[in-house]
Amino acid sequence: MDTILTDIKGVIDGLGSTVLLPVFIFIFAIILGAKPGRAFRAGITIGVAFIGINLVIGLMWTSLSDVAQAIVKNTGITRDVVDVGWPSAAAIAFGSSVGLWIIPVGIIVNLVLLLARLTRTLNVDVWNFWHFAFVGSLVVAATNSLVYGLIAAAIVVALTLLFADWTAKGVQRFYEVPGVSVPHLASAQIVPIAIVLNWIIDRIPGINKINIDNNTIQRRLGVFGEPVILGLIIGLVLGAIAYYNVPDRGTMITNVLKTAMNLAAVMLLLPRMVKILMEGLIPVSEAARTFVQKRAGDREILIGLDSAILIGHPAAISSSLILVPIAILLSVILPGSRVILFADLAVIPFVVAMTAPIVKGNVFRMVIIGTVTLAIGFYVATALAPLFTNAAVSAGFKLPENAAQITSIVDGFLWVPYVMVELVQNLAAIGLAVAAILVAIGYWLYRRSATNWELKAGAEEEAAA
């Protein structure tokens, strides 16, 4: 059995999301009754779109990594917990004992919840199952129990599907992605924080009136408020902060202008890539709608995708670029934090993207929520760093030089792994039972409130008509 699982994991690791996703989309579309030709074209189009998205994200990654290195050098900060980036975290998660089992565990939990009508999301984003394996690997590092790790991972699968269903309507409307949900733990975990902070901001006089969304920016700034120009301006500012003290003025100007143009390109190209993705999803969504109507009446099945489909929105990118220097500043000023950021600054768009529907694209509020979330994350990362490092060593990961311990924004900064680890460390099996009960209560509350909300929304639409 272990040999089979190892072979499956090897195929997953080798192919990656850009090959696996089209295959799963094609199979899913055929099962739903789409014609083979349309299903094949849909899968290829979606794969091409994700390749384009990854290329643009890679451009952003390179630019922000260079900026981060320069800013860190300028500040002279040193910490013993080093951010190694999400690719390293994913490799550690899939390389762990939980990573060997996470794909069948994730699929089984998803199918059971679908058949039980507890979720509407079919998560085809199998590559990102590593987030579940990561939580499980931390639990294994804390308890030395594979069983505990697998149970913890299964609970997080269920929690992530709950988040996906809970946020689906808002995501679909704000980002204009019909038939889709986002079962991506790194993005979904900010939702409870965003709801609480948005409620608090609503009750602060003066602050609650500030609304800086994309439409407001464009209306007040004209051409300078267009996403591509906004990316250029933010790039100029970030470049100036990073490279102001480069001795050679020519090199300094070149670095600043390259940063500006690269981020302008990101602001323009990411939305285009998402449009291509949606073109590929249309046939699948239509087939899913027809399939469900024939067999389950008005029940809706959502396609669970990577939150990469969200980060092309100007609100997500703009707020994230503003948060880059804020995150580095937090590295300097937060008392008790031992973390220095480096490799994962480019994933901040993934962290904050799900706040946009909650705050209606208000970049000001997204920056506030993102700042608080990152501040919490520094302390979570400091607490989890020993387990993160132990899991890495167990998976055969080589630690960077001068790093006593390691972390990453994804998933080392997230409250979900921290809560799970704390429950298991303090209560063992009872902690897992408590986590499962809390998730079950979450499903019950969601199903109850979602029904009420949909009835209320329908009444309001009828009244408006």
Side-chain angles (χ1 to χ4, degrees):
M1 183 64 178
D2 283 355
T3 303
I4 296 173
L5 292 174
T6 301
D7 290 342
I8 293 173
K9 187 169 77 69
V11 171
I12 297 291
D13 290 344
L15 294 178
S17 61
T18 54
V19 176
L20 278 176
L21 188 57
V23 172
F24 278 102
I25 289 293
F26 172 74
I27 295 171
F28 181 46
I30 291 294
I31 292 172
L32 293 175
K35 293 182 179 179
R38 293 197 77 195
F40 182 75
R41 187 181 186 281
I44 297 300
T45 302
I46 290 170
V48 168
F50 265 101
I51 289 173
I53 289 171
N54 287 337
L55 287 172
V56 180
I57 291 173
L59 176 63
M60 180 171 64
W61 188 291
T62 300
S63 298
L64 291 183
S65 293
D66 291 343
V67 165
Q69 287 184 65
I71 295 177
V72 168
K73 184 178 180 180
N74 292 341
T75 60
I77 60 173
T78 56
R79 299 284 187 271
D80 64 341
V81 179
V82 176
D83 164 29
V84 294
W86 75 263
S88 298
I92 292 166
F94 272 137
S96 70
S97 56
V98 178
L100 190 65
W101 292 88
I102 195 58
I103 293 171
V105 167
I107 292 173
I108 290 169
V109 171
N110 194 174
L111 291 178
V112 168
L113 292 175
L114 268 173
L115 293 173
R117 293 178 172 264
L118 292 175
T119 185
R120 296 172 295 152
T121 295
L122 177 62
N123 188 2
V124 299
D125 187 22
V126 176
W127 163 254
N128 275 314
F129 281 19
W130 75 262
H131 295 282
F132 315 137
F134 178 83
V135 178
S137 69
L138 293 187
V139 171
V140 171
T143 64
N144 201 31
S145 170
L146 175 59
V147 173
Y148 281 6
L150 290 173
I151 294 173
I155 292 170
V156 175
V157 173
L159 176 63
T160 306
L161 292 169
L162 172 61
F163 279 139
D165 284 356
W166 183 19
T167 57
K169 293 294 183 184
V171 165
Q172 290 170 13
R173 289 174 181 171
F174 183 84
Y175 287 106
E176 299 179 350
V177 284
V180 166
S181 67
V182 180
H184 195 274
L185 181 62
S187 298
Q189 61 91 35
I190 200 174
V191 170
I193 300 172
I195 290 173
V196 172
L197 291 177
N198 192 53
W199 182 87
I200 294 172
I201 294 171
D202 276 337
R203 283 150 183 82
I204 302 176
I207 301 296
N208 59 5
K209 302 296 183 184
I210 300 175
N211 182 26
I212 306 176
D213 60 13
N214 189 52
N215 292 333
T216 303
I217 293 171
Q218 290 195 32
R219 185 173 63 252
R220 295 185 177 180
L221 299 182
V223 66
F224 292 100
E226 294 180 7
V228 64
I229 305 301
L230 195 60
L232 183 76
I233 294 171
I234 294 174
L236 287 171
V237 173
L238 285 177
I241 293 172
Y243 304 116
Y244 73 91
N245 62 347
V246 173
D248 184 346
R249 294 294 100 181
T251 302
M252 184 270 286
I253 293 172
T254 299
N255 289 342
V256 171
L257 293 178
K258 281 185 176 180
T259 301
M261 285 303 298
N262 285 346
L263 295 183
V266 168
M267 293 286 277
L268 180 67
L269 294 176
L270 263 181
R272 305 286 173 91
M273 295 302 104
V274 174
K275 285 183 179 179
I276 296 173
L277 176 72
M278 295 315 301
E279 178 187 335
L281 279 174
I282 288 172
V284 184
S285 297
E286 291 176 349
R289 191 176 302 112
T290 302
F291 180 89
V292 171
Q293 286 175 348
K294 286 180 178 179
R295 293 164 177 81
D298 59 352
R299 189 188 181 202
E300 183 182 24
I301 298 295
L302 305 174
I303 303 169
L305 293 177
D306 191 327
S307 55
I309 66 172
L310 310 180
I311 67 170
H313 195 281
I317 306 176
S318 300
S319 58
S320 304
L321 295 180
I322 295 169
L323 281 166
V324 168
I326 292 175
I328 296 173
L329 178 63
L330 291 174
S331 292
V332 178
I333 66 174
L334 285 178
S337 171
R338 297 165 52 197
V339 178
I340 181 170
L341 294 183
F342 170 60
D344 246 2
L345 282 167
V347 305
I348 292 179
F350 291 85
V351 175
V352 301
M354 295 283 274
T355 65
I358 296 168
V359 302
K360 300 178 181 178
N362 189 333
V363 174
F364 174 74
R365 293 194 180 197
M366 291 179 71
V367 171
I368 291 176
I369 294 168
T371 300
V372 173
T373 303
L374 288 171
I376 295 170
F378 275 100
Y379 293 109
V380 168
T382 300
L384 289 180
L387 291 179
F388 195 131
T389 307
N390 289 343
V393 172
S394 298
F397 182 81
K398 185 177 180 181
L399 300 183
E401 293 183 12
N402 303 321
Q405 296 175 345
I406 60 173
T407 189
S408 71
I409 293 180
V410 180
D411 287 358
F413 271 53
L414 309 187
W415 62 266
V416 174
Y418 176 77
V419 170
M420 184 65 72
V421 167
E422 284 295 303
L423 285 172
V424 177
Q425 277 189 320
N426 292 307
L427 299 173
I430 296 175
L432 290 173
V434 169
I437 291 169
L438 290 174
V439 172
I441 292 172
Y443 271 95
W444 179 77
L445 289 173
Y446 167 70
R447 286 170 63 85
R448 183 180 178 186
S449 61
T451 301
N452 293 338
W453 182 87
E454 288 167 0
L455 290 173
K456 181 179 177 182
E460 289 175 351
E461 290 171 3
E462 288 176 9

